[in-house]
Amino acid sequence: RKEVEQDPGPFNVPEGATVAFNCTYSNSASQSFFWYRQDCRKEPKLLMSVYSSGNEDGRFTAQLNRASQYISLLIRDSKLSDSATYLCVVIPYNTDKLIFGTGTRLQVFP
Amino acid sequence: NAGVMQNPRHLVRRRGQEARLRCSPMKGHSHVYWYRQLPEEGLKFMVYLQKENIIDESGMPKERFSAEFPKEGPSILRIQQVVRGDSAAYFCASCSMSTATNTGELFFGEGSRLTVL
């Protein structure tokens, strides 16, 4: 079983739609969680952190469910510029190793 | 540009040759990560280094791959006797001490794309 699993997609949504991605992780002893964004043939960039209490940044909301070992990302009012691959990231306890999921591809169309 | 610099951006090698990929971290960053990304796949952790020290190399293949981060100069990822399966994008990322676990933010270079013929 992969350490971090994501639905690869693609998720094809119209502008203005709300879309949600989930990510599951296998190591219950994980300390930190993040979402990264990667544009086609570009480097990944940090999008936001994920907390149990939830984290909202504009149109983006991230949530952590430790009991079920999953992380979610919700994007409201999708823009064309949101088209990218979204990578779920987990850091196990006592390491500085960032474990990336394979990513979920989002395509927003007009 | 004070960002993470990787070179070469593109490298073509024949089977059996050596590939050397270089990474200069952001100014002030003392830690470097190397990741490999195959087409349609996610980033696979390879190695985590600080100056003159390998902290975690659990993702490095046992043979042909090595990494270093000397006191002076860039970090080097070296692949000896390359095979077709080594074709991938190799990303380097840097951070200052322990910021990865605190903020989750790694600053990535644009990657080095290795093609093995």
Side-chain angles (χ1 to χ4, degrees), chain B residues 37-90:
Chain B
Q37 188 170 38
L38 292 165
E40 306 303 321
E41 291 191 19
L43 290 156
K44 299 291 186 196
F45 170 82
M46 299 182 76
V47 63
Y48 170 43
L49 314 101
Q50 66 178 130
K51 290 278 186 183
E52 300 183 284
N53 188 27
I54 296 175
I55 300 173
D56 184 338
E57 57 180 349
S58 57
M60 288 281 271
K62 294 287 185 281
E63 297 175 348
R64 303 187 298 109
F65 284 72
S66 62
E68 62 176 7
F69 189 14
K71 188 176 179 182
E72 302 291 337
S75 175
I76 307 282
L77 179 67
R78 184 180 175 210
I79 311 172
Q80 295 178 287
Q81 300 173 333
V82 295
V83 300
R84 288 220 174 100
D86 296 334
S87 296
Y90 291 84

Side-chain angles (χ1 to χ4, degrees), chain A residues 77-94:
Chain A
D77 188 23
S78 298
K79 311 290 184 193
L80 294 175
S81 57
D82 294 334
S83 298
T85 296
Y86 291 84
L87 304 165
C88 171
V89 180
V90 172
I91 302 179
Y93 278 117
N94 296 324

Side-chain angles (χ1 to χ4, degrees), chain A residues 48-107:
Chain A
M48 61 196 305
S49 303
V50 188
Y51 308 118
S52 298
S53 55
N55 186 19
E56 189 171 316
D57 183 3
R59 298 180 293 108
F60 297 79
T61 301
Q63 195 81 42
L64 165 65
N65 185 318
R66 282 193 182 271
S68 302
Q69 293 181 210
Y70 80 82
I71 306 154
S72 63
L73 178 66
L74 181 79
I75 305 175
R76 289 181 297 277
D77 188 23
S78 298
K79 311 290 184 193
L80 294 175
S81 57
D82 294 334
S83 298
T85 296
Y86 291 84
L87 304 165
C88 171
V89 180
V90 172
I91 302 179
Y93 278 117
N94 296 324
T95 77
D96 290 318
K97 188 163 70 175
L98 279 71
I99 310 294
F100 283 77
T102 51
T104 298
R105 213 171 110 219
L106 171 66
Q107 184 67 49

